[in-house]
Amino acid sequence: DPLHIEVKASIGGWRGGVLHLTRNECDKSRECGDNYQFHLWDLSSEKPKLLIVSSPDVLQHVPIDSGEGRWESVAIGFKSFNWDECID
């Protein structure tokens, strides 16, 4: 099975960076499960840092539809994830 990778980057660092996720990206990550990863790049310093986040770890921060409401995009702070596991 192919590996799907969604790349997001921020010059705000891991503390200030934001992952903007669309409904379509979310649906695709649910569909692909473990074959979908998010690569978050912290570009705030001379030496960029990469954090690879699994689809389930991102999806736990996604809102749910309620009543007649349907979300279309969500902002998730980079700091929501464990940057101790990043690749320097």
Side-chain angles (χ1 to χ4, degrees):
D1 292 336
L3 177 62
H4 301 269
I5 298 172
E6 186 68 41
V7 178
K8 304 292 184 176
S10 175
I11 59 172
W14 70 269
R15 287 183 184 96
V18 177
L19 161 61
H20 293 277
L21 185 67
T22 67
R23 179 67 178 239
N24 185 53
E25 291 165 337
C26 179
D27 290 345
K28 185 69 173 177
S29 71
R30 276 197 180 103
E31 178 185 315
C32 296
D34 291 334
N35 292 329
Y36 200 99
Q37 295 178 344
F38 293 84
H39 288 201
L40 306 182
W41 283 95
D42 172 352
L43 304 178
S44 64
S45 66
E46 202 170 290
K47 187 175 180 185
K49 295 180 176 87
L50 168 64
L51 180 65
I52 299 173
V53 183
S54 71
S55 180
D57 285 345
V58 170
L59 293 176
Q60 70 178 337
H61 299 285
V62 172
I64 58 172
D65 296 335
S66 180
E68 295 295 317
R70 177 178 160 88
W71 71 272
E72 290 300 323
S73 67
V74 62
I76 305 167
F78 275 25
K79 64 184 176 185
S80 302
F81 307 104
N82 184 3
W83 282 84
D84 292 337
E85 300 173 0
C86 75
I87 301 167
D88 290 323

Coordinates of all heavy atoms in Angstrom, one line a residue:
D1 N 0.8 -1.2 0.0 CA 0.0 0.0 0.0 C 0.9 1.2 0.0 O 1.9 1.3 0.7 CB -0.9 0.0 1.2 CG -2.0 -1.1 1.2 OD1 -2.3 -1.5 0.1 OD2 -2.5 -1.4 2.2
P2 N 0.5 2.3 -0.7 CA 1.3 3.5 -0.8 C 1.2 4.2 0.6 O 0.2 4.2 1.3 CB 0.7 4.3 -1.9 CG -0.7 3.8 -2.1 CD -0.7 2.3 -1.6
L3 N 2.3 5.0 0.9 CA 2.3 5.8 2.1 C 1.9 7.2 1.6 O 2.5 7.8 0.7 CB 3.7 5.8 2.7 CG 3.9 6.7 3.9 CD1 2.9 6.3 5.0 CD2 5.3 6.7 4.4
H4 N 0.9 7.8 2.3 CA 0.5 9.2 2.0 C 1.1 10.1 3.0 O 1.0 9.8 4.2 CB -1.0 9.3 2.0 CG -1.7 8.4 1.0 ND1 -2.0 8.8 -0.3 CD2 -2.1 7.1 1.1 CE1 -2.6 7.8 -0.9 NE2 -2.6 6.7 -0.1
I5 N 1.7 11.2 2.6 CA 2.3 12.1 3.5 C 1.8 13.5 3.3 O 1.8 14.0 2.2 CB 3.9 12.1 3.3 CG1 4.4 10.7 3.6 CG2 4.5 13.2 4.2 CD1 5.9 10.6 3.3
E6 N 1.3 14.1 4.4 CA 0.8 15.5 4.3 C 1.9 16.3 5.0 O 2.3 16.1 6.2 CB -0.5 15.6 5.1 CG -1.1 17.0 5.0 CD -1.6 17.3 3.6 OE1 -2.1 16.4 2.9 OE2 -1.4 18.5 3.2
V7 N 2.5 17.3 4.3 CA 3.6 18.1 4.8 C 3.0 19.5 5.3 O 2.4 20.1 4.5 CB 4.7 18.2 3.8 CG1 5.8 19.1 4.3 CG2 5.2 16.9 3.4
K8 N 3.4 19.8 6.5 CA 3.0 21.2 7.0 C 4.3 21.7 7.6 O 5.1 21.0 8.3 CB 1.9 21.1 8.1 CG 0.7 20.4 7.6 CD -0.1 21.2 6.6 CE -1.4 20.5 6.3 NZ -2.2 21.2 5.4
A9 N 4.5 23.0 7.4 CA 5.7 23.7 7.9 C 5.3 25.0 8.6 O 4.3 25.6 8.2 CB 6.7 23.9 6.8
S10 N 6.2 25.5 9.5 CA 6.0 26.7 10.2 C 7.3 27.4 10.6 O 8.2 26.7 11.1 CB 5.1 26.5 11.4 OG 5.0 27.7 12.2
I11 N 7.4 28.7 10.4 CA 8.5 29.4 10.9 C 8.2 29.9 12.3 O 9.1 30.4 13.0 CB 8.9 30.6 10.0 CG1 7.7 31.6 9.9 CG2 9.3 30.2 8.6 CD1 8.0 32.9 9.2
G12 N 7.0 29.6 12.8 CA 6.7 29.9 14.2 C 7.2 28.9 15.2 O 7.0 29.1 16.4
G13 N 7.9 27.9 14.8 CA 8.4 26.9 15.7 C 7.4 26.0 16.2 O 6.2 26.1 15.9
W14 N 7.8 25.0 17.0 CA 6.9 24.0 17.4 C 5.9 24.6 18.5 O 4.8 24.1 18.7 CB 7.6 22.8 18.0 CG 8.4 22.9 19.2 CD1 9.7 23.3 19.4 CD2 7.9 22.8 20.6 NE1 10.0 23.4 20.7 CE2 9.0 23.1 21.4 CE3 6.7 22.4 21.1 CZ2 8.8 23.0 22.8 CZ3 6.5 22.4 22.5 CH2 7.6 22.7 23.3
R15 N 6.3 25.7 19.1 CA 5.5 26.3 20.1 C 4.4 27.2 19.5 O 3.3 27.3 20.0 CB 6.3 27.1 21.1 CG 7.1 26.3 22.1 CD 7.8 27.1 23.1 NE 8.6 26.4 23.9 CZ 9.9 26.1 23.8 NH1 10.6 26.7 22.7 NH2 10.6 25.4 24.6
G16 N 4.7 27.8 18.3 CA 3.8 28.7 17.7 C 3.2 28.2 16.4 O 2.3 28.9 15.9
G17 N 3.7 27.1 15.9 CA 3.3 26.6 14.6 C 1.8 26.1 14.7 O 1.4 25.6 15.7
V18 N 1.1 26.1 13.6 CA -0.2 25.6 13.5 C -0.4 24.7 12.3 O 0.0 25.1 11.2 CB -1.2 26.8 13.4 CG1 -2.7 26.3 13.3 CG2 -1.1 27.7 14.6
L19 N -1.0 23.6 12.5 CA -1.4 22.6 11.5 C -2.8 23.0 11.1 O -3.7 22.8 11.8 CB -1.3 21.2 12.0 CG -2.0 20.1 11.3 CD1 -1.5 19.9 9.9 CD2 -1.9 18.8 12.0
H20 N -2.9 23.5 9.8 CA -4.3 23.8 9.3 C -4.7 22.6 8.5 O -4.1 22.2 7.5 CB -4.3 25.0 8.4 CG -4.0 26.3 9.2 ND1 -5.0 26.9 9.9 CD2 -2.8 26.9 9.4 CE1 -4.4 28.0 10.5 NE2 -3.1 28.0 10.2
L21 N -5.8 21.9 8.9 CA -6.2 20.7 8.3 C -7.6 20.9 7.7 O -8.5 21.4 8.4 CB -6.3 19.6 9.4 CG -6.6 18.2 9.0 CD1 -5.5 17.6 8.1 CD2 -6.9 17.3 10.2
T22 N -7.7 20.6 6.5 CA -9.0 20.7 5.8 C -9.8 19.4 6.0 O -9.3 18.3 6.4 CB -8.9 20.9 4.3 OG1 -8.3 19.7 3.7 CG2 -8.0 22.1 4.0
R23 N -11.1 19.5 5.8 CA -12.0 18.3 5.9 C -11.6 17.2 4.9 O -11.5 16.1 5.3 CB -13.4 18.8 5.6 CG -14.5 17.7 5.6 CD -14.6 17.2 7.0 NE -15.6 16.2 7.2 CZ -16.6 16.3 8.0 NH1 -16.9 17.4 8.7 NH2 -17.5 15.3 8.1
N24 N -11.2 17.6 3.7 CA -10.7 16.7 2.7 C -9.5 15.9 3.2 O -9.4 14.7 3.0 CB -10.5 17.4 1.4 CG -10.1 16.4 0.3 OD1 -10.8 15.4 0.0 ND2 -9.0 16.6 -0.4
E25 N -8.5 16.7 3.7 CA -7.3 16.0 4.3 C -7.6 15.1 5.4 O -7.1 14.0 5.5 CB -6.3 17.1 4.8 CG -5.7 17.9 3.6 CD -5.0 19.2 4.1 OE1 -5.3 19.7 5.3 OE2 -4.1 19.7 3.4
C26 N -8.5 15.5 6.2 CA -8.9 14.6 7.4 C -9.6 13.3 6.9 O -9.3 12.2 7.3 CB -9.9 15.4 8.2 SG -10.5 14.5 9.6
D27 N -10.5 13.5 5.9 CA -11.2 12.3 5.4 C -10.2 11.3 4.7 O -10.4 10.1 4.9 CB -12.3 12.7 4.3 CG -13.5 13.4 5.0 OD1 -13.6 13.4 6.2 OD2 -14.2 14.1 4.2
K28 N -9.3 11.9 4.0 CA -8.3 11.0 3.3 C -7.4 10.3 4.4 O -7.1 9.1 4.2 CB -7.4 11.9 2.4 CG -6.4 11.1 1.6 CD -7.1 10.3 0.6 CE -6.1 9.6 -0.3 NZ -6.7 8.7 -1.3
S29 N -7.0 11.0 5.5 CA -6.2 10.4 6.5 C -7.0 9.3 7.2 O -6.5 8.2 7.6 CB -5.7 11.4 7.5 OG -6.7 11.9 8.3
R30 N -8.3 9.4 7.4 CA -9.1 8.4 8.0 C -9.2 7.2 7.1 O -9.1 6.0 7.5 CB -10.6 8.9 8.3 CG -10.7 9.6 9.5 CD -12.2 9.8 9.9 NE -12.3 10.5 11.2 CZ -12.6 11.8 11.3 NH1 -13.0 12.5 10.2 NH2 -12.7 12.4 12.4
E31 N -9.4 7.5 5.8 CA -9.5 6.4 4.8 C -8.2 5.6 4.7 O -8.3 4.3 4.6 CB -9.8 7.1 3.4 CG -9.9 6.1 2.2 CD -10.0 6.9 0.9 OE1 -10.8 7.9 0.9 OE2 -9.3 6.6 0.0
C32 N -7.1 6.2 4.8 CA -5.8 5.5 4.6 C -5.2 4.9 5.9 O -4.3 4.1 5.9 CB -4.8 6.5 4.0 SG -5.2 7.0 2.3
G33 N -5.7 5.4 7.1 CA -5.3 4.9 8.4 C -3.8 5.0 8.6 O -3.2 6.1 8.5
D34 N -3.2 3.9 8.9 CA -1.8 3.9 9.2 C -0.9 4.2 8.0 O 0.3 4.4 8.2 CB -1.4 2.5 9.8 CG -1.9 2.3 11.2 OD1 -2.2 3.3 11.9 OD2 -2.1 1.1 11.6
N35 N -1.4 4.2 6.9 CA -0.7 4.6 5.7 C -0.7 6.1 5.3 O -0.4 6.5 4.2 CB -1.2 3.8 4.4 CG -0.8 2.3 4.6 OD1 0.2 1.9 5.2 ND2 -1.7 1.5 4.0
Y36 N -1.1 6.9 6.3 CA -1.1 8.3 6.2 C -0.4 8.9 7.3 O -0.6 8.6 8.5 CB -2.6 8.8 6.2 CG -2.8 10.2 5.6 CD1 -3.3 10.3 4.3 CD2 -2.6 11.3 6.3 CE1 -3.6 11.5 3.8 CE2 -2.8 12.6 5.8 CZ -3.3 12.7 4.5 OH -3.6 13.9 3.9
Q37 N 0.6 9.8 7.0 CA 1.4 10.5 8.0 C 1.4 12.0 7.8 O 1.2 12.4 6.7 CB 2.9 10.0 8.0 CG 3.1 8.6 8.3 CD 4.5 8.2 8.2 OE1 5.3 8.9 7.6 NE2 4.9 7.1 8.7
F38 N 1.6 12.7 8.9 CA 1.8 14.1 8.8 C 3.2 14.4 9.1 O 3.8 14.0 10.2 CB 0.9 14.8 9.8 CG -0.6 14.7 9.5 CD1 -1.3 13.6 9.8 CD2 -1.2 15.7 8.7 CE1 -2.6 13.4 9.5 CE2 -2.6 15.5 8.4 CZ -3.3 14.4 8.8
H39 N 3.9 15.1 8.3 CA 5.3 15.6 8.5 C 5.3 17.1 8.9 O 4.9 17.9 8.0 CB 6.2 15.3 7.3 CG 6.4 13.9 7.0 ND1 7.5 13.5 6.3 CD2 5.8 12.7 7.5 CE1 7.5 12.1 6.3 NE2 6.5 11.7 7.0
L40 N 5.5 17.4 10.1 CA 5.5 18.7 10.6 C 6.9 19.2 10.7 O 7.8 18.7 11.4 CB 4.9 18.8 12.0 CG 3.5 18.2 12.1 CD1 2.9 18.3 13.5 CD2 2.5 18.7 11.1
W41 N 7.2 20.3 10.0 CA 8.5 20.9 10.0 C 8.5 22.2 10.8 O 7.7 23.1 10.5 CB 8.9 21.3 8.5 CG 9.3 20.1 7.7 CD1 8.5 19.3 6.9 CD2 10.6 19.5 7.7 NE1 9.3 18.3 6.4 CE2 10.6 18.4 6.9 CE3 11.8 19.8 8.3 CZ2 11.7 17.6 6.6 CZ3 12.9 19.0 8.1 CH2 12.9 17.9 7.2
D42 N 9.4 22.3 11.7 CA 9.7 23.5 12.5 C 10.9 24.2 11.8 O 12.0 23.7 11.8 CB 10.1 23.1 13.9 CG 10.6 24.3 14.8 OD1 10.8 25.4 14.2 OD2 10.8 24.1 16.0
L43 N 10.6 25.3 11.1 CA 11.6 26.0 10.3 C 12.1 27.3 11.0 O 12.6 28.2 10.4 CB 11.1 26.4 9.0 CG 10.5 25.2 8.1 CD1 10.0 25.7 6.8 CD2 11.6 24.2 7.9
S44 N 11.9 27.3 12.4 CA 12.2 28.5 13.1 C 13.7 28.8 13.4 O 14.1 29.9 13.8 CB 11.5 28.5 14.4 OG 11.9 27.5 15.3
S45 N 14.5 27.8 13.1 CA 15.9 27.9 13.4 C 16.7 27.5 12.2 O 16.2 27.0 11.2 CB 16.4 27.1 14.6 OG 16.2 25.7 14.3
E46 N 18.0 27.7 12.2 CA 18.9 27.4 11.1 C 18.9 25.9 10.8 O 19.1 25.5 9.7 CB 20.3 27.8 11.5 CG 21.2 28.0 10.2 CD 22.5 28.7 10.6 OE1 22.5 29.9 11.0 OE2 23.5 28.0 10.6
K47 N 18.6 25.1 11.8 CA 18.6 23.6 11.7 C 17.1 23.2 11.8 O 16.6 23.1 12.9 CB 19.5 22.9 12.7 CG 19.6 21.5 12.5 CD 20.6 20.9 13.5 CE 20.6 19.4 13.2 NZ 21.5 18.7 14.2
P48 N 16.4 23.0 10.7 CA 15.0 22.6 10.8 C 14.8 21.3 11.6 O 15.7 20.4 11.6 CB 14.6 22.4 9.3 CG 15.6 23.2 8.6 CD 16.8 23.1 9.4
K49 N 13.6 21.1 12.2 CA 13.3 19.9 12.9 C 12.0 19.3 12.2 O 11.1 20.0 11.8 CB 13.0 20.2 14.3 CG 14.1 20.7 15.1 CD 13.7 21.0 16.6 CE 14.9 21.4 17.4 NZ 15.1 22.8 17.4
L50 N 12.0 18.0 12.1 CA 10.9 17.2 11.5 C 10.3 16.4 12.6 O 11.0 15.6 13.3 CB 11.4 16.4 10.4 CG 10.4 15.3 9.8 CD1 9.2 16.0 9.2 CD2 11.1 14.4 8.8
L51 N 9.0 16.4 12.7 CA 8.2 15.5 13.5 C 7.2 14.7 12.6 O 6.4 15.4 11.9 CB 7.4 16.3 14.6 CG 6.6 15.4 15.6 CD1 7.5 14.5 16.4 CD2 5.8 16.2 16.5
I52 N 7.3 13.4 12.7 CA 6.4 12.6 11.9 C 5.3 12.2 12.9 O 5.5 11.6 13.9 CB 7.1 11.4 11.4 CG1 8.2 11.8 10.4 CG2 6.1 10.4 10.7 CD1 9.1 10.7 9.9
V53 N 4.0 12.5 12.5 CA 2.9 12.3 13.4 C 1.9 11.3 12.7 O 1.6 11.5 11.5 CB 2.1 13.6 13.7 CG1 1.0 13.3 14.7 CG2 3.1 14.6 14.3
S54 N 1.5 10.3 13.4 CA 0.5 9.4 12.8 C -0.9 10.0 12.6 O -1.2 10.9 13.3 CB 0.4 8.1 13.7 OG -0.3 8.4 14.9
S55 N -1.6 9.4 11.7 CA -3.0 9.9 11.5 C -3.8 9.8 12.7 O -4.5 10.8 13.0 CB -3.6 9.0 10.4 OG -4.9 9.4 10.1
P56 N -3.8 8.7 13.5 CA -4.6 8.7 14.7 C -4.2 9.8 15.7 O -5.1 10.4 16.4 CB -4.4 7.3 15.3 CG -4.0 6.5 14.2 CD -3.2 7.4 13.2
D57 N -3.0 10.2 15.8 CA -2.5 11.2 16.7 C -3.1 12.6 16.3 O -3.3 13.4 17.2 CB -1.0 11.2 16.8 CG -0.4 10.1 17.7 OD1 -1.2 9.4 18.4 OD2 0.8 9.8 17.6
V58 N -3.2 12.8 15.0 CA -3.8 14.1 14.6 C -5.3 14.0 14.7 O -5.9 15.0 15.2 CB -3.4 14.4 13.1 CG1 -4.2 15.5 12.5 CG2 -1.9 14.6 13.0
L59 N -5.9 12.9 14.3 CA -7.4 12.9 14.3 C -8.0 13.0 15.7 O -9.2 13.4 15.8 CB -7.8 11.5 13.7 CG -7.5 11.4 12.2 CD1 -7.9 10.0 11.7 CD2 -8.2 12.5 11.4
Q60 N -7.3 12.8 16.7 CA -7.8 12.9 18.1 C -8.1 14.4 18.4 O -8.8 14.7 19.3 CB -6.9 12.3 19.2 CG -5.6 13.1 19.4 CD -4.8 12.4 20.4 OE1 -5.3 11.7 21.3 NE2 -3.5 12.7 20.4
H61 N -7.6 15.3 17.6 CA -7.8 16.8 17.8 C -8.8 17.4 16.9 O -9.0 18.6 16.9 CB -6.4 17.5 17.6 CG -5.4 17.1 18.6 ND1 -5.4 17.4 19.9 CD2 -4.3 16.2 18.4 CE1 -4.3 16.9 20.5 NE2 -3.7 16.2 19.6
V62 N -9.4 16.5 16.1 CA -10.4 17.0 15.0 C -11.8 17.1 15.6 O -12.2 16.2 16.4 CB -10.4 16.0 13.8 CG1 -11.5 16.4 12.8 CG2 -9.0 16.1 13.1
P63 N -12.5 18.1 15.4 CA -13.9 18.3 15.9 C -14.8 17.3 15.2 O -14.5 16.7 14.2 CB -14.3 19.7 15.5 CG -13.4 20.1 14.4 CD -12.2 19.3 14.5
I64 N -16.0 17.1 15.8 CA -17.0 16.2 15.2 C -18.2 17.1 14.7 O -18.4 18.2 15.3 CB -17.5 15.1 16.2 CG1 -18.1 15.8 17.5 CG2 -16.4 14.2 16.6 CD1 -18.8 14.8 18.4
D65 N -18.9 16.6 13.7 CA -20.1 17.3 13.3 C -21.2 17.1 14.3 O -21.2 16.1 15.0 CB -20.5 16.7 11.9 CG -19.5 16.9 10.8 OD1 -18.7 17.8 10.9 OD2 -19.5 16.1 9.8
S66 N -22.0 18.1 14.4 CA -23.1 18.1 15.4 C -24.3 18.7 14.8 O -24.2 19.8 14.2 CB -22.7 18.7 16.7 OG -23.7 18.7 17.6
G67 N -25.5 18.1 14.9 CA -26.7 18.7 14.4 C -26.6 18.9 12.9 O -26.2 18.1 12.2
E68 N -26.9 20.2 12.5 CA -26.8 20.6 11.1 C -25.4 21.1 10.8 O -25.1 21.5 9.7 CB -27.8 21.6 10.8 CG -29.3 21.1 10.9 CD -29.5 20.0 9.8 OE1 -29.1 20.1 8.7 OE2 -30.2 19.0 10.2
G69 N -24.5 21.2 11.8 CA -23.2 21.7 11.6 C -22.2 20.7 11.1 O -22.2 19.6 11.4
R70 N -21.3 21.2 10.2 CA -20.3 20.4 9.6 C -19.0 21.2 9.5 O -19.0 22.3 8.9 CB -20.7 20.0 8.2 CG -19.7 19.2 7.4 CD -20.3 18.7 6.1 NE -19.3 18.4 5.1 CZ -18.7 17.2 5.0 NH1 -19.2 16.2 5.8 NH2 -17.8 16.9 4.1
W71 N -18.0 20.8 10.1 CA -16.7 21.5 10.1 C -16.0 21.4 8.8 O -16.2 20.3 8.1 CB -15.8 21.1 11.3 CG -15.2 19.8 11.2 CD1 -15.7 18.6 11.6 CD2 -13.9 19.5 10.6 NE1 -14.9 17.6 11.3 CE2 -13.8 18.1 10.7 CE3 -12.9 20.2 10.0 CZ2 -12.6 17.4 10.2 CZ3 -11.8 19.6 9.5 CH2 -11.7 18.2 9.6
E72 N -15.3 22.4 8.4 CA -14.6 22.3 7.1 C -13.1 22.5 7.2 O -12.3 22.0 6.4 CB -15.1 23.5 6.2 CG -16.5 23.2 5.7 CD -16.7 22.0 4.8 OE1 -15.8 21.6 4.1 OE2 -17.7 21.3 5.0
S73 N -12.6 23.1 8.3 CA -11.2 23.2 8.6 C -11.0 23.3 10.1 O -11.8 23.8 10.8 CB -10.5 24.3 7.8 OG -11.0 25.5 8.2
V74 N -9.8 22.9 10.5 CA -9.4 23.0 11.9 C -8.0 23.5 12.0 O -7.2 23.1 11.2 CB -9.7 21.7 12.6 CG1 -8.8 20.6 12.1 CG2 -9.5 21.8 14.1
A75 N -7.7 24.2 13.0 CA -6.3 24.6 13.3 C -5.8 23.9 14.6 O -6.5 23.9 15.6 CB -6.2 26.1 13.6
I76 N -4.7 23.1 14.5 CA -4.2 22.4 15.6 C -2.7 22.8 15.8 O -1.9 22.8 14.9 CB -4.2 20.8 15.3 CG1 -5.6 20.4 14.9 CG2 -3.6 20.0 16.5 CD1 -5.6 19.0 14.3
G77 N -2.5 23.3 17.0 CA -1.1 23.8 17.3 C -0.1 22.7 17.2 O -0.3 21.5 17.7
F78 N 1.1 23.0 16.7 CA 2.2 22.0 16.6 C 2.5 21.5 18.0 O 2.9 20.4 18.2 CB 3.4 22.7 16.0 CG 3.5 22.7 14.5 CD1 2.4 22.6 13.7 CD2 4.8 22.8 13.9 CE1 2.5 22.6 12.3 CE2 4.9 22.8 12.5 CZ 3.8 22.7 11.7
K79 N 2.3 22.4 19.0 CA 2.7 22.0 20.4 C 1.8 20.9 21.0 O 2.0 20.4 22.0 CB 2.7 23.3 21.3 CG 1.3 23.9 21.5 CD 1.4 25.2 22.3 CE 0.0 25.8 22.4 NZ 0.1 27.1 23.1
S80 N 0.7 20.6 20.2 CA -0.2 19.5 20.7 C 0.5 18.1 20.6 O 0.0 17.1 21.1 CB -1.4 19.5 19.8 OG -2.1 20.7 19.9
F81 N 1.7 18.1 19.9 CA 2.3 16.8 19.6 C 3.7 16.7 20.4 O 4.2 17.7 20.8 CB 2.5 16.6 18.1 CG 1.2 16.8 17.4 CD1 1.0 17.9 16.7 CD2 0.3 15.8 17.4 CE1 -0.2 18.1 16.0 CE2 -0.9 16.0 16.7 CZ -1.2 17.1 16.0
N82 N 4.2 15.5 20.6 CA 5.4 15.3 21.4 C 6.6 15.6 20.5 O 7.1 14.7 19.8 CB 5.4 13.9 21.9 CG 6.6 13.6 22.8 OD1 7.4 14.5 23.1 ND2 6.7 12.4 23.2
W83 N 7.2 16.7 20.7 CA 8.4 17.1 19.9 C 9.7 16.5 20.5 O 10.7 16.7 19.9 CB 8.5 18.7 19.8 CG 7.5 19.1 18.8 CD1 6.2 19.4 18.9 CD2 7.8 19.4 17.4 NE1 5.6 19.8 17.7 CE2 6.6 19.8 16.8 CE3 8.9 19.3 16.6 CZ2 6.5 20.0 15.4 CZ3 8.9 19.6 15.3 CH2 7.7 19.9 14.7
D84 N 9.6 15.8 21.6 CA 10.8 15.0 22.1 C 11.2 14.0 21.1 O 12.3 13.5 21.1 CB 10.5 14.4 23.4 CG 10.3 15.5 24.5 OD1 10.9 16.6 24.3 OD2 9.7 15.2 25.5
E85 N 10.2 13.6 20.2 CA 10.5 12.5 19.2 C 10.9 13.1 17.8 O 10.9 12.3 16.9 CB 9.2 11.7 19.1 CG 8.8 11.0 20.4 CD 7.5 10.3 20.3 OE1 6.8 10.3 19.2 OE2 7.0 9.7 21.3
C86 N 11.2 14.3 17.7 CA 11.5 14.9 16.4 C 12.8 14.5 15.9 O 13.7 14.0 16.7 CB 11.4 16.5 16.5 SG 12.7 17.3 17.3
I87 N 13.0 14.6 14.6 CA 14.2 14.3 14.0 C 15.0 15.6 13.7 O 14.4 16.5 13.0 CB 14.0 13.6 12.6 CG1 13.2 12.3 12.9 CG2 15.3 13.3 11.9 CD1 12.6 11.6 11.7
D88 N 16.2 15.8 14.2 CA 17.0 17.0 14.0 C 17.8 16.9 12.7 O 18.2 15.9 12.3 CB 17.9 17.2 15.1 CG 17.2 17.6 16.4 OD1 16.2 18.3 16.3 OD2 17.6 17.2 17.5

